[in-house]
Amino acid sequence: TDGSLNRFQQAMQDCHGLQCGFCTPGVVISMTSYLDDNPDPTDEELRVALGGNLCRCTGYRGIINAARQAAGLTADTGGEGH
C-alpha cells in the first residue's frame, strides 16, 4: 500500500468515529470488509455488521456515519446512535 487511508478510514476521521482507539482496529477491519461486500447497506445492516465490536466511547453514531459516508450515503443527523 501507499500509506494512504482507505475510504472507511478516511470517513472515520471525517465523522469523528475515533476516540480512545480501543475498538478502532476491529471496527476498521470489520467495516472495510463489510462495505467491500455490501456497498449499499441500511443502518440496521451496519449495526449488525458492527455486532462483534465494543466501542466504549462514541455511542456508535460516528462509526455508523463513517460507514454511511464510505458507502456514499448521507450521514444520519438525528435520532440516537447505537
Side-chain angles (χ1 to χ4, degrees):
T1 66
D2 64 5
S4 63
L5 300 176
N6 71 33
R7 63 187 172 138
F8 182 70
Q9 290 171 316
Q10 185 62 55
M12 284 283 281
Q13 182 177 345
D14 296 346
C15 296
H16 308 288
L18 305 165
Q19 284 191 19
C20 78
F22 177 82
C23 69
T24 303
V27 167
V28 169
I29 290 168
S30 296
M31 293 309 297
T32 297
S33 176
Y34 183 80
L35 291 171
D36 285 347
D37 294 338
N38 302 283
D40 190 26
T42 65
D43 283 358
E44 183 60 28
E45 291 169 335
L46 293 171
R47 288 184 184 101
V48 169
L50 283 171
N53 296 283
L54 174 64
C55 176
R56 305 177 330 171
C57 302
T58 68
Y60 299 95
R61 179 185 300 277
I63 296 168
I64 295 294
N65 285 343
R68 291 178 59 75
Q69 177 179 306
L73 306 171
T74 56
D76 176 25
T77 58
E80 206 171 311
H82 295 213

